[in-house]
Amino acid sequence: MKFVSFGNWNVRADRIVAVNKWVDQKCITVYCGPQEEYRQYYKTQQDTREAHEKLMEELSEIGD
């Protein structure tokens, strides 16, 4: 069982269904099912982009 972390959240990687980046709202949302989602807000759009890239990199390493 592997976990990925972003912001204050640690989420089981095998439960993640989708990841959505809202740069204009400075937010990343991770969906783990119809009723389960985790949101993390950032101070700047650049912080949001960097956090999203890091999260996607972690997910790709787990998938390999």
Side-chain angles (χ1 to χ4, degrees), residues 1-47:
M1 184 176 342
K2 304 233 178 183
F3 289 84
V4 293
S5 61
F6 72 105
N8 299 326
W9 302 102
N10 288 316
V11 182
R12 265 182 51 186
D14 63 339
R15 297 203 37 147
I16 295 175
V17 176
V19 176
N20 199 348
K21 173 179 65 172
W22 304 92
V23 175
D24 58 332
Q25 297 175 5
K26 300 177 212 148
C27 173
I28 296 175
T29 306
V30 174
Y31 299 93
C32 295
Q35 300 291 325
E36 192 176 357
E37 60 186 52
Y38 302 95
R39 284 194 177 108
Q40 181 67 41
Y41 293 90
Y42 298 90
K43 290 185 179 191
T44 66
Q45 291 179 346
Q46 183 64 28
D47 290 344

